[in-house]
């Protein structure tokens, strides 16, 4: 049985960490929990998990943003399916959940970035989910 649920506190965020760690390999659990808490408090970050047989199989995190480019929109910060649960449509289910959540809350754009090396993810976003490649994201570590 599949269920999708918003994760509301530290215990649930901890439960999602093993899956999130597959995407955010640089984070340890302590830093992860601190960042989730800060993002929730400062940026209305929302984390949602897809459960398969009471186990988290996929996780997404998203937040509202406002820019002059997009106006008011939802930014998908994280989207990962556990390596053992891929090719079952779980990423599509979670991204569709984010899209429906966005519409319900008055946002008509969902945006995200994806690492250049993630060719399979790009194909998923463009071909399956019908996202357009609108720009490159640049980053400079200071």
């Amino acid at each position: 049985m599949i269920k999708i649920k918003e994760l509301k506190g530290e215990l649930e965020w901890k439960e999602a960490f093993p899956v999130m760690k597959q995407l955010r390999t640089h984070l340890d659990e302590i830093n992860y929990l601190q960042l989730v808490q800060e993002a929730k408090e400062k940026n209305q970050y929302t984390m949602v998990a897809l459960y398969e047989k009471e186990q988290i199989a996929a996780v997404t995190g998203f937040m509202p943003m406002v820019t002059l480019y997009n106006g008011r929109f939802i930014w998908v910060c994280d989207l990962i399916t556990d390596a053992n649960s891929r090719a079952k449509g779980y990423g599509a289910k979670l991204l569709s959940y984010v899209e429906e959540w966005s519409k319900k809350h008055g946002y008509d754009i969902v945006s995200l970035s994806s690492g250049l090396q993630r060719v399979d993810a790009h194909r998923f976003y463009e071909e399956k989910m019908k996202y357009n490649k609108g720009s490159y994201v640049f980053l400079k570590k200071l």
Side-chain angles (χ1 to χ4, degrees):
M1 181 169 141
I2 304 297
K3 98 177 160 181
I4 295 176
K5 174 180 130 177
E6 183 178 337
L7 306 180
K8 298 216 178 195
E10 189 172 308
L11 287 176
E12 291 179 331
W13 301 335
K14 273 186 179 186
E15 185 183 2
F17 180 70
V19 176
M20 187 66 81
K21 176 80 174 163
Q22 294 174 43
L23 178 65
R24 304 295 177 218
T25 56
H26 64 287
L27 292 176
D28 61 33
E29 188 176 76
I30 292 169
N31 288 332
Y32 157 80
L33 291 171
Q34 289 171 343
L35 289 170
V36 171
Q37 182 67 43
E38 184 175 351
K40 184 163 190 58
E41 290 171 3
K42 292 183 178 178
N43 299 311
Q44 299 173 313
Y45 178 84
T46 300
M47 186 180 288
V48 174
L50 181 145
Y51 289 79
E52 174 186 45
K53 299 178 185 171
E54 304 301 316
Q55 294 285 345
I56 293 179
V59 179
T60 189
F62 59 93
M63 62 187 180
M65 290 184 71
V66 179
T67 66
L68 297 180
Y69 179 73
N70 281 335
R72 295 178 71 247
F73 69 104
I74 295 299
W75 180 258
V76 178
C77 307
D78 316 288
L79 178 64
I80 183 70
T81 299
D82 182 79
N84 298 318
S85 297
R86 298 213 172 116
K88 296 181 178 181
Y90 295 164
K93 285 184 187 327
L94 277 181
L95 201 49
S96 294
Y97 175 94
V98 172
E99 292 170 4
E100 288 304 313
W101 187 99
S102 299
K103 287 183 218 172
K104 181 179 171 186
H105 290 86
Y107 298 93
D108 58 5
I109 295 175
V110 174
S111 188
L112 55 86
S113 69
S114 180
L116 294 173
Q117 76 283 6
R118 300 189 70 224
V119 176
D120 290 339
H122 303 166
R123 192 169 32 256
F124 165 74
Y125 294 129
E126 291 179 298
E127 294 174 12
K128 183 166 179 106
M129 300 306 296
K130 305 300 182 206
Y131 279 62
N132 297 313
K133 192 182 300 178
S135 67
Y136 288 101
V137 175
F138 293 91
L139 169 70
K140 182 178 184 179
K141 293 189 178 187
L142 304 176

